[in-house]
């Protein structure tokens, strides 16, 4: 098992958000997590990436057999976890290429490898920039500064393509993208798909799932997985909306507290 | 405090000069005797307590090389900077350590002491005249002791291509010396130069630098002036930089404070004729228990002058800094454009900054703005970088670096920019350089 989440509870600023998540992800699989706004999708993604102010109050997360919750954010990244942010931050004064170089070499250092020689690094970056159809000038701009919403998302995919994670978590990377950008993102993701890797796609719409076909679909509501299924569940949600799911979730919540 | 003044008689004998110089010294000595060193009761010294300086026993620095040799000078050099260099050891000019052989013809760069002895008339128009009549005790003290320092005159129309470095190497030999360089820079009409005024401490002991520089920028002349204060961490540094700009003159000032236990710089520019422009950049990097204070004042005295002030500070540990930026726009100074920004980054919860912009505007047709910010490293940005495998320390360094980047980027000299980047990395992150971390 690559990722095993058991009965995960987490709070933000003392407010319980995740209320018992169970999820198992095997290498080679793609899981889609859907659910209404505020259901806790981003919270789950951030907890997995190790955000400090998200407090895990109970439950466990194991990643490649290790207790993930004991690892610092950067250690998780070194071990192959990658989060494509729903809202990537702008970092004025740090250039994109510098971030990429620092990230690549931090990973290599952790793996006991020497720094990637500059020539090879540039070759790698240029190849991936082509993959996500980005202009090379973006490399020399400050991280995400002044990027459009779509450019930011593409930049996340560029980083993912270069870092080649074992477990990629994409938090609404599809939101706000036009169809061409969506295809580019899908291409980036599909290129990375392989038997050694796994992906969690957090999405609000099933649109992206036309391009990246998931093995499993889960629906999150009120901090719990209320329904799991295959690709057809996404289509059902598309048709029926989230109302019926929310209602089910409330019933479950009432049963638990009552 | 008395011990500081006791040496005066001796110095006066050593440099008994022409009447106007004697008068200048005597009136400064009288002013010092009357007012003494500033105290926290003075509005301008509210946040900077100089008692630790006042209660110390300092001896007047002697004019020997104090064991500073060419290797020591080379050790202080900024890598990759090729420059004309005048070296001063504990405030006294050292010809053997200096390299002035390639100065363009007509450019005068000499010891103030020698000029006072041999050609005092060359100095009479500017020495003691650029600085304001009213000034604090340290400035009076410097003038009372006025002995040596740099005298630089760039003649009319001359463009000095390579930078000129005034390197003040201060040693901390017991008993602690007081070093009082006095510099005069005159940029004659339509001349141009880059000048670095560097204060570097060797050794870890204590001493007091009390420096004054007067800079006269005549019509249409331009200067890029760097003050790089890199004193030893136990040293005290008080410095005044007084600038007068004539018609269409341009000054770009970079005021960098890195060293010193207590360091205070007073920087004052008077835009005394139409069309003058000054850009004032500042960077202060404090850690430990350092106290770094910058007081700036820009006087818009005449119409159509512009000023752009940009000061940034990074403070760690229990360091404390003061920024006081005063801009005065006189009634006459219509169509003034004056901008001021002060931004501070606190790396530790115990670091502290007192920032005080002060605009006094007596004209009505002006464009003035100011802003001051104090903040910590952004936690979202830190998380973002760490989620990309970058360890916390490197992430903090990258963001700190990013913070200081734009003000460092304003330095035209690339070797200085590199030096400052390196200083930031070494001082605040104890790493050899950024490349080592990433
Ligand atoms: N930093 C935060 N502080 C307080 N509440 C938060 C914070 N982040 C998220 N929340 C709350 O947690 C809940 C889940 O949010 P989120 O995980 O972002 O949902 P989703 O991604 O499914 O839209 C929401 O009610 C949101 O308001
Ligand atoms: Mg979300």
């Amino acid at each position: 098992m690559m990722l095993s989440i058991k009965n995960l509870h987490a709070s933000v600023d003392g407010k319980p958000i995740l209320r018992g998540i169970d999820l198992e992800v095997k290498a080679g699989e793609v899981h889609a997590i859907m659910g209404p706004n505020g259901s806790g999708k981003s919270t789950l993604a951030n907890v997995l990436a190790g955000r400090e102010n998200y407090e895990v109050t109970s439950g466990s997360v194991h990643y490649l057999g290790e207790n993930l919750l004991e690892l610092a954010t950067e250690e998780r990244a070194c071990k192959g976890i990658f989060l494509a942010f729903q809202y990537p931050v702008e970092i004025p004064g740090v250039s994109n290429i510098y971030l990429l170089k620092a990230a690549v070499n931090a990973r290599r250092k952790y793996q006991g490898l020497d720094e990637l020689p500059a020539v090879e690094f540039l070759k790698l970056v240029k190849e991936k920039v082509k993959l996500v159809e980005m202009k090379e000038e973006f490399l020399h701009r400050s991280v995400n500064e002044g990027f459009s919403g779509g450019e930011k998302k593409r930049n996340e995919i560029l980083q993912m393509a270069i870092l080649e994670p074992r477990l990629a978590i994409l938090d609404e990377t599809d939101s706000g993208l036009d169809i061409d950008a969506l295809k580019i993102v899908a291409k980036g993701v599909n290129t990375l798909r392989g038997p050694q890797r796994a992906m969690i796609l957090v999405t609000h719409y099933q649109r992206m799932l036309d391009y990246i076909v998931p093995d499993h679909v889960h629906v999150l509501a009120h901090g719990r997985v209320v329904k799991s299924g295959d690709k057809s569940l996404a289509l059902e949600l598309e048709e029926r909306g989230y109302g019926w799911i929310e209602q089910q979730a409330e019933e479950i919540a009432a049963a638990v507290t009552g | 405090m008395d011990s500081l003044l006791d040496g005066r008689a001796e110095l006066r004998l050593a440099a008994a000069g022409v009447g106007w110089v004697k008068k200048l010294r005597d009136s400064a000595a009288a002013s010092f005797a009357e007012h003494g060193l500033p105290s926290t009761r003075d509005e301008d010294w509210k946040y900077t307590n100089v008692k630790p300086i006042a209660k110390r026993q300092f001896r007047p620095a002697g004019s020997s090389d104090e064991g500073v040799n060419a290797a020591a000078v080379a050790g202080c050099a900024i890598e990759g900077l090729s420059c004309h260099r005048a070296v001063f050891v504990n405030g006294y000019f050292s010809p053997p350590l200096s390299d002035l052989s390639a100065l363009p013809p007509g450019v005068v760069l000499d010891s103030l002491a020698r000029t006072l002895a041999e050609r005092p008339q060359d100095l009479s128009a500017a020495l003691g005249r650029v600085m304001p009549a009213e000034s604090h005790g340290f400035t009076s003290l410097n003038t009372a002791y006025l002995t040596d320092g740099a005298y630089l005159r760039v003649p009319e129309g001359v463009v000095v291509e390579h930078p000129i470095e005034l390197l003040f190497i201060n040693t901390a030999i017991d008993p602690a010396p007081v070093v009082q360089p006095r510099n005069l820079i005159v940029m004659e009409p339509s001349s141009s130069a880059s000048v670095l005024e560097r204060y570097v401490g060797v050794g870890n002991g204590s001493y007091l630098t009390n420096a004054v520089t007067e800079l006269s920028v005549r019509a249409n002349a331009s200067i890029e002036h760097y003050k790089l204060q890199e004193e030893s961490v136990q040293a005290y540094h008080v410095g005044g930089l007084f600038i007068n700009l004539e018609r269409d003159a341009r000054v770009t000032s970079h005021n960098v404070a890195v060293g010193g236990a207590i360091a205070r710089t007073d920087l004052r520019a008077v835009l005394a004729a139409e069309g003058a422009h000054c850009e004032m950049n500042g960077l202060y990097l404090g850690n430990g228990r350092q106290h770094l204070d910058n007081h700036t004042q820009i006087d818009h005295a005449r119409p159509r002058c512009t000023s752009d002030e940009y000061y940034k500070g990074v403070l760690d540990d229990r360091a404390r800094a003061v920024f006081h930026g005063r801009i005065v726009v006189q009634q006459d100074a219509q169509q003034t454009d004056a901008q001021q920004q002060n931004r501070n980054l606190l790396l530790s919860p115990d670091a502290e900054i007192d920032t005080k912009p002060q605009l006094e505007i007596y004209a009505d047709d002006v464009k003035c703005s100011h802003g001051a910010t104090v903040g910590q490293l952004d936690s979202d940005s830190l998380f973002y970088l760490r989620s990309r495998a970058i360890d916390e320390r490197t992430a903090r360094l990258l963001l700190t670096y990013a913070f200081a980047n734009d003000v460092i980027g304003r330095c035209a000299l690339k070797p200085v920019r590199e030096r400052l980047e390196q200083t930031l990395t070494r001082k605040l992150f104890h790493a050899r350089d950024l490349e080592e971390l990433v």
Side-chain angles (χ1 to χ4, degrees):
Chain A
M1 195 61 59
M2 178 174 276
L3 183 72
S4 170
I5 304 176
K6 291 205 168 77
N7 192 31
L8 181 68
H9 288 68
S11 300
V12 182
D13 297 336
K15 180 179 157 198
I17 309 284
L18 302 184
R19 305 158 205 249
I21 302 258
D22 290 285
L23 183 68
E24 307 238 294
V25 178
K26 291 198 191 78
E29 291 180 345
V30 173
H31 288 240
I33 295 183
M34 304 182 73
N37 276 331
S39 57
K41 304 184 298 293
S42 291
T43 304
L44 175 62
N46 278 281
V47 166
L48 294 178
R51 195 172 197 116
E52 269 161 4
N53 55 334
Y54 286 43
E55 191 200 350
V56 173
T57 49
S58 68
S60 69
V61 181
H62 282 83
Y63 168 70
L64 298 173
E66 252 185 296
N67 181 355
L68 184 71
L69 301 177
E70 280 181 352
L71 303 177
T73 303
E74 54 267 38
E75 281 179 283
R76 299 181 195 198
C78 285
K79 288 179 188 288
I81 290 186
F82 180 90
L83 169 62
F85 286 78
Q86 182 174 4
Y87 304 109
V89 289
E90 300 191 5
I91 312 183
V94 176
S95 76
N96 242 340
I97 186 102
Y98 212 105
L99 167 63
L100 289 169
K101 184 167 171 260
V104 165
N105 286 327
R107 273 275 294 277
R108 291 180 66 92
K109 194 169 164 187
Y110 184 82
Q111 293 161 345
L113 299 170
D114 282 340
E115 271 188 18
L116 198 60
V119 180
E120 278 178 55
F121 171 72
L122 278 179
K123 206 176 130 218
L124 172 73
V125 170
K126 285 190 176 174
E127 178 194 320
K128 302 301 183 187
V129 161
K130 248 190 221 127
L131 176 72
V132 300
E133 299 179 25
M134 216 159 120
K135 286 201 203 93
E136 271 186 35
E137 59 159 274
F138 277 81
L139 290 171
H140 302 285
R141 287 176 48 183
S142 290
V143 176
N144 294 325
E145 192 185 27
F147 287 26
S148 72
E151 286 162 352
K152 284 180 185 170
K153 297 300 177 75
R154 233 185 287 182
N155 203 26
E156 296 291 285
I157 299 304
L158 171 69
Q159 294 173 14
M160 182 183 81
I162 288 171
L163 290 173
E164 302 192 319
R166 296 286 298 275
L167 174 63
I169 305 158
L170 279 68
D171 191 0
E172 298 211 26
T173 305
D174 55 333
S175 308
L177 293 186
D178 62 31
I179 197 74
D180 292 327
L182 186 66
K183 282 181 184 168
I184 291 166
V185 167
K187 186 170 69 172
V189 172
N190 286 326
T191 308
L192 204 65
R193 251 177 121 156
Q196 294 301 312
R197 300 184 212 284
M199 314 226 173
I200 297 174
L201 307 177
V202 172
T203 179
H204 201 67
Y205 311 99
Q206 85 91 32
R207 193 174 64 143
M208 181 164 68
L209 306 180
D210 287 340
Y211 300 94
I212 312 168
V213 182
D215 301 299
H216 301 275
V217 175
H218 311 277
V219 184
L220 214 65
H222 296 286
R224 284 193 191 87
V225 175
V226 291
K227 207 164 170 60
S228 293
D230 61 9
K231 190 178 175 289
S232 61
L233 177 58
L235 292 166
E236 191 181 351
L237 286 168
E238 180 84 348
E239 241 168 67
R240 296 178 61 190
Y242 286 112
W244 60 285
I245 293 280
E246 299 234 40
Q247 203 176 333
Q248 273 189 9
E250 272 157 32
E251 281 160 20
I252 295 170
V256 170
T257 48
Chain B
M1 191 200 308
D2 284 335
S3 63
L4 283 175
L5 207 54
D6 283 346
R8 187 166 60 91
E10 176 192 328
L11 282 165
R12 217 197 298 178
L13 279 178
V18 284
W20 66 269
V21 182
K22 186 177 177 308
K23 232 190 239 158
L24 187 66
R25 285 201 193 99
D26 284 349
S27 83
S31 167
F32 183 78
E34 188 186 339
H35 299 110
L37 291 180
S39 81
T40 49
R41 286 189 304 276
D42 298 307
E43 188 56 30
D44 276 348
W45 292 83
K46 199 165 142 191
Y47 302 110
T48 298
N49 187 350
V50 297
K51 263 195 199 132
I53 302 176
K55 69 181 188 216
R56 284 287 301 255
Q57 299 280 314
F58 294 100
R59 71 177 160 100
S63 58
S64 80
D65 278 355
E66 307 265 19
V68 174
N69 55 23
V73 173
C76 297
I78 294 176
E79 209 180 309
L81 184 76
S82 103
C83 57
H84 314 284
R85 175 184 293 141
V87 177
F88 300 79
V89 177
N90 289 351
Y92 292 93
F93 183 52
S94 168
L97 296 176
S98 301
D99 179 7
L100 305 173
S101 54
L103 274 175
V107 174
V108 177
L109 176 48
D110 204 344
S111 125
L112 189 82
R114 186 156 76 190
T115 312
L116 274 172
E118 294 172 8
R119 292 167 281 118
Q121 67 280 6
D122 289 5
L123 304 171
S124 58
L127 189 67
R129 291 172 184 267
V130 179
M131 62 179 214
E134 82 295 352
S135 51
H136 57 65
F138 285 100
T139 311
S140 305
L141 201 59
N142 178 287
T143 304
Y145 278 90
L146 186 149
T147 310
D148 203 0
Y151 168 52
L152 169 64
R153 183 183 293 268
V154 181
E156 181 160 358
V158 171
V159 174
V160 185
E161 192 192 330
H162 289 291
I164 296 168
E165 181 180 72
L166 312 176
L167 178 59
F168 297 89
I169 300 181
N170 301 320
T171 62
I173 297 165
D174 250 10
V178 52
V179 175
Q180 303 209 71
R182 176 62 173 243
N183 308 307
L184 175 64
I185 302 171
V186 180
M187 300 295 297
E188 294 289 8
S190 304
S191 65
S192 162
S194 297
V195 176
L196 292 92
E197 195 180 317
R198 295 182 59 210
Y199 296 89
V200 181
V202 293
N204 287 318
S206 184
Y207 57 84
L208 166 65
T209 298
N210 179 31
V212 170
T213 298
E214 292 181 277
L215 169 55
S216 164
V217 190
R218 312 278 315 270
N220 221 25
S222 73
I223 182 171
E224 175 148 14
H225 181 276
Y226 296 79
K227 174 179 175 176
L228 306 178
Q229 185 273 98
E230 304 171 56
E231 307 274 20
S232 355
V233 287
Q234 291 185 50
Y236 304 106
H237 177 99
V238 181
L241 173 58
F242 304 107
I243 310 172
N244 190 70
L245 294 91
E246 295 180 21
R247 195 180 185 96
D248 296 322
R250 302 178 69 83
V251 171
T252 303
S253 150
H254 308 281
N255 174 18
V256 177
V258 172
I262 298 175
R264 156 83 172 229
T265 291
D266 283 87
L267 200 162
R268 177 164 175 179
V270 180
L271 300 157
E274 285 195 32
H277 170 72
C278 81
E279 178 181 321
M280 285 197 177
N281 304 311
L283 177 67
Y284 40 97
L285 306 175
N287 63 359
R289 291 180 153 274
Q290 277 188 295
H291 183 106
L292 306 173
D293 178 351
N294 285 298
H295 267 61
T296 68
Q297 181 172 338
I298 302 174
D299 246 305
H300 283 262
R302 302 289 302 154
R304 283 178 286 283
C305 292
T306 52
S307 66
D308 174 13
E309 182 171 21
Y310 194 52
Y311 268 64
K312 279 192 157 182
V314 184
L315 303 171
D316 200 358
D317 306 326
R318 309 182 65 85
R320 184 162 181 190
V322 181
F323 172 79
H324 185 175
R326 188 165 167 218
I327 295 176
V328 182
V329 181
Q330 308 286 4
Q331 203 169 354
D332 220 21
Q334 300 296 358
Q335 293 170 46
T336 287
D337 185 331
Q339 313 294 329
Q340 182 190 78
Q341 288 289 328
N342 173 232
R343 301 191 186 286
N344 297 281
L345 173 62
L346 305 182
L347 296 178
S348 123
D350 299 319
E352 233 183 287
I353 170 80
D354 291 292
T355 173
K356 183 178 169 196
Q358 187 182 343
L359 268 57
E360 292 168 36
I361 301 172
Y362 304 104
D364 45 29
D365 177 18
V366 300
K367 230 171 85 188
C368 291
S369 76
H370 68 91
T373 61
V374 181
Q376 285 99 39
L377 290 176
D378 177 50
S379 64
D380 288 342
S381 301
L382 270 175
F383 177 59
Y384 188 85
L385 293 175
R386 293 177 67 192
S387 78
R388 300 304 182 244
I390 298 168
D391 69 80
E392 187 174 359
R393 186 169 78 124
T394 307
R396 290 173 68 86
L397 170 58
L398 267 176
L399 295 176
T400 304
Y401 197 82
F403 172 83
N405 213 15
D406 57 349
V407 73
I408 292 176
R410 286 182 171 212
C411 299
L413 297 173
K414 187 162 179 252
V416 175
R417 293 200 299 272
E418 289 169 350
R419 168 84 166 201
L420 296 180
E421 286 163 1
Q422 206 177 52
T423 301
L424 185 147
T425 312
R426 287 185 186 174
K427 182 179 166 86
L428 298 176
F429 293 90
H430 315 292
R432 194 165 46 79
D433 54 35
L434 193 54
E435 299 300 326
E436 182 191 284
L437 289 173
V438 299

